[in-house]
Amino acid sequence: MTIHQNLIAGEWTGTNAAENINPSDTNEVVGLYAQASAEDAKAAIAAAKAAFPAWSRSGIWERHVILKKAGDEIMARKDELGALLAREEGKTLPEAIGETIRASQIFEFFAGEALRLAGEVVPSVRPNIGIEITREPLGVIGIITPWNFPIAIPAWKIAPALCYGNTVVFKPADLVPGCSWAIADILHRAGLPKGVLNLVMGKGSVVGQAMLDSPDIAGITFTGSTGTGKRVATSSIEHNRKFQLEMGGKNPMVVLDDADLTVAVEAAANSGFFSTGQRCTASSRLIVTEGIHDKFVAALTEKLKTIVVDNAMKPGTHIGPVVDARQLQTDTDYIRIGKEEGAKLAFGGELISRETPGFYLQPTLFTEATNQMRISREEIFGPVVSVIRVKDYEEALATAIDTPFGLSAGIATTSLKHATHFKRNSEAGMVMVNLPTAGVDFHVPFGGRKGSSYGPREQGKYAVEFYTTVKTAYTLA
C-alpha cells in the first residue's frame, strides 16, 4: 500500500507508517498513514512560524480563493470522502456523507468571512486623535482533533485559522487519519504556500506533547477528553498561550408529561444512540417525569428493537460499530457498572456478531437509574443511555443541571412556559426544544459551560474571538 505521508513545510514526508483499520470489518486496512516523531512535530512548528509573516499579511482574496477551492472539492468528492469516513470511523454512510457536506459548508462559510474582515474607527475622548481597532492573527495555531467527527471538526478549526491569517500545525486523532490527510492534500493543492498548513499524524504522547511543549505555538484549539484537555490548559498557561477546549458531556434530555410521545422518542433515540452514541452532544441521561415515564420507556424500547446495527457501509444500517476495541471495552465496562449499581437493564447491552468482524454493540438502555450513579455522571461515549424518573418539571430541571458538564441539553414538551423556562435556566451552552441534543448548524456558535468547554466559542462568526487578537491604534491628526 502507498504510505500517506505527513505534510511539513510544503513537502510530503515520512516512511514509518501505521495501519488504519476499518471498525466495521477489522480484516480491512483502510490505508497506511505516516507516524510523525517529536522531531517531525518540531520541524512542522518551525515551518509554520517561518510562514506566518507572509501569510498573516496575505490578501483576503487569496485566502478566499483557497478556502473556496477546498470547499468546492470536498463537496464534489462527498461520496468518496464520505465512504472513507465511514470506513475509518464506523459512522453509517449517510451520516458520513452528511458530515462531509458539512465540512464543505464550513470552508464555504469561512471563504466568505475572509472577505468580511473588518475593524472599527472611533473618536477619542481627546481632541485631534483618531482610534482604529483591528483584529490580527495570533500566529502559529496548534490544532488537535478527536476521532468522532473526522472531517467536520478539522474543518471547523482549520478553516477559521487560515481565514484570519494564522498558520497551522494539525494533529488529528491517530484512529482516523484518512479524512485529515485528505483535507491537508486538498488545501495543499488549492494553493496554500509552503508551511502555512502542516499535518503531523501520530500518537498524542509524541506529536501532541511536542506541540504542548513548544513556546512557538501561539494558540492551541483542542477537542477531546477532559483529562487531556486539562494537560493542554496547564501547558498553555506555562507558555502564556491562548487555548480553547471542547471536552466531555453528560447531556440531559428532559421528557415532560405533556410531551408528544412520538417526538420525544425520536429525539431521545437520535440523541442517545445514533452515531453509536459517540458524540459529545449525545444525550446519555433521559430525565422523564413519572406521568409519561412508563409509556416513554415502552415506546423507546420498541423503537430500539427496530434499529439495525451493522457494517457502516451496508445499506439499511442505522448504527455502525463502536470505533475500536478499547472504546468497546469502555462501553461494556460501564454496562457492567450500571448493573452493579442497581440500574435495570431494559434493553440491549450485548455484543453482536455480523457478517464482517467488527466492534458491534447493541444499543443499551438502563431504567431506574439515579443521577448519583456513575453511569449517570461519567461520560461513556457509546450507545449506553440511562433513564432517570422524576416527579415534575422542577425536579427534572434540578436533575438536568446537577452535572459537572454543560455542553448540550434538551427538553420534550408542548408547554411554551416550560420550554421558555428551560432555555433560560438550563446550564448548557446549547439547548434544544423537541429536537435531538446532537445536531447543530455550521454558522452559529458551538460550545458549552462548566467542565465541557473553555475559551471562546467555535464556528460561525464567533470563531474570530479565538483566532485573532485585538489591536487598538491611536493617531494624532
Side-chain angles (χ1 to χ4, degrees):
M1 279 189 179
T2 301
I3 295 176
H4 295 79
Q5 297 176 301
N6 291 304
L7 180 64
I8 301 174
E11 302 295 331
W12 295 104
T13 180
T15 56
N16 180 34
E19 294 180 339
N20 185 7
I21 302 298
N22 182 348
S24 290
D25 182 357
T26 54
N27 290 328
E28 182 192 7
V29 177
V30 177
L32 296 178
Y33 291 84
Q35 297 287 285
S37 65
E39 291 307 311
D40 290 331
K42 292 175 184 176
I45 294 166
K49 183 179 180 181
F52 176 72
W55 180 250
S56 64
R57 291 169 175 80
S58 60
I60 60 173
W61 184 251
E62 179 183 2
R63 298 182 207 170
H64 166 82
V65 168
I66 291 170
L67 293 173
K68 181 73 165 56
K69 281 183 179 178
D72 288 347
E73 181 170 340
I74 291 170
M75 183 64 78
R77 296 172 58 192
K78 65 181 186 299
D79 294 334
E80 171 202 344
L81 295 174
L84 172 62
L85 196 164
R87 289 166 61 218
E88 73 170 351
E89 196 270 348
K91 195 168 292 185
T92 65
L93 184 58
E95 281 187 285
I97 293 172
E99 182 182 331
T100 304
I101 292 171
R102 181 177 175 185
S104 170
Q105 292 168 333
I106 290 165
F107 275 100
E108 184 85 17
F109 178 88
F110 283 105
E113 285 295 280
L115 301 179
R116 291 189 284 267
L117 296 177
E120 297 178 77
V121 176
V122 298
S124 171
V125 295
R126 294 170 288 169
N128 301 319
I129 293 177
I131 303 174
E132 298 175 5
I133 304 169
T134 54
R135 287 189 174 273
E136 297 185 349
L138 284 183
V140 178
I141 300 292
I143 294 177
I144 303 174
T145 58
W147 49 259
N148 61 326
F149 283 88
I151 197 166
I153 292 180
W156 85 47
K157 293 180 186 291
I158 293 170
L162 298 177
C163 166
Y164 298 121
N166 300 282
T167 54
V168 170
V169 177
F170 170 39
K171 193 212 94 64
D174 55 1
L175 277 177
V176 289
C179 290
S180 296
W181 188 92
I183 285 181
D185 175 58
I186 288 168
L187 283 166
H188 178 62
R189 289 185 290 97
L192 273 184
K194 292 183 177 182
V196 173
L197 173 66
N198 302 273
L199 171 69
V200 277
M201 300 174 288
K203 295 187 178 299
S205 59
V206 177
V207 178
Q209 191 61 50
M211 293 167 67
L212 298 188
D213 292 340
S214 175
D216 291 328
I217 290 184
I220 288 187
T221 175
F222 167 82
T223 300
S225 70
T226 300
T228 304
K230 289 179 179 178
R231 289 175 54 204
V232 172
T234 300
S235 70
S236 296
I237 290 169
E238 179 181 349
H239 292 294
N240 198 31
R241 75 163 65 99
K242 203 171 184 180
F243 61 99
Q244 177 186 59
L245 308 176
E246 289 296 341
M247 299 175 289
K250 197 65 181 175
N251 308 296
M253 169 161 279
V254 170
V255 180
L256 298 183
D257 287 353
D258 62 15
D260 181 308
L261 187 61
T262 300
V263 169
V265 167
E266 288 298 319
N270 185 302
S271 297
F273 300 104
F274 282 72
S275 295
T276 323
Q278 296 174 154
R279 298 183 284 195
C280 55
T281 51
S283 286
S284 52
R285 291 188 301 146
L286 305 178
I287 301 166
V288 186
T289 49
E290 56 188 7
I292 199 173
H293 178 278
D294 292 350
K295 288 187 293 184
F296 173 80
V297 168
L300 180 57
T301 302
E302 289 303 310
K303 171 70 175 179
L304 294 181
K305 292 177 182 177
T306 70
I307 290 177
V308 177
V309 181
D310 209 328
N311 191 308
M313 295 293 290
K314 191 173 181 178
T317 296
H318 298 133
I319 298 175
V322 174
V323 72
D324 72 347
R326 185 170 61 176
Q327 183 60 49
L328 182 61
Q329 184 63 56
T330 297
D331 295 347
T332 55
D333 284 347
Y334 272 107
I335 292 169
R336 173 183 52 78
I337 289 167
K339 293 175 182 178
E340 293 172 354
E341 289 181 314
K344 177 185 175 184
L345 182 60
F347 184 85
E350 299 294 327
L351 300 180
I352 307 172
S353 295
R354 289 294 181 257
E355 183 179 347
T356 51
F359 307 113
Y360 298 108
L361 177 65
Q362 277 184 312
T364 304
L365 182 68
F366 281 105
T367 58
E368 307 308 324
T370 71
N371 205 46
Q372 286 67 49
M373 292 177 176
R374 287 182 62 189
I375 58 170
S376 301
R377 302 204 70 78
E378 300 173 10
E379 185 175 42
I380 299 171
F381 221 64
V384 183
V385 172
S386 303
V387 179
I388 301 169
R389 187 196 301 258
V390 294
K391 181 180 179 181
D392 51 24
Y393 170 74
E394 287 71 27
E395 186 181 355
L397 176 62
T399 303
I401 64 179
D402 179 17
T403 174
F405 299 107
L407 182 56
S408 185
I411 186 169
T413 180
T414 55
S415 165
L416 179 60
K417 172 186 174 182
H418 287 140
T420 301
H421 189 273
F422 189 80
K423 285 189 289 185
R424 290 177 178 170
N425 292 278
S426 179
E427 295 177 359
M430 298 175 289
V431 182
M432 314 293 185
V433 178
N434 294 322
L435 288 167
T437 57
V440 294
D441 290 347
F442 63 88
H443 67 302
V444 294
F446 176 97
R449 297 165 59 173
K450 299 194 281 190
S452 290
S453 303
Y454 180 88
R457 291 291 191 257
E458 298 197 87
Q459 297 200 125
K461 65 180 182 180
Y462 288 82
V464 74
E465 298 292 340
F466 177 74
Y467 293 98
T468 64
T469 185
V470 174
K471 176 180 283 184
T472 306
Y474 295 81
T475 302
L476 177 64

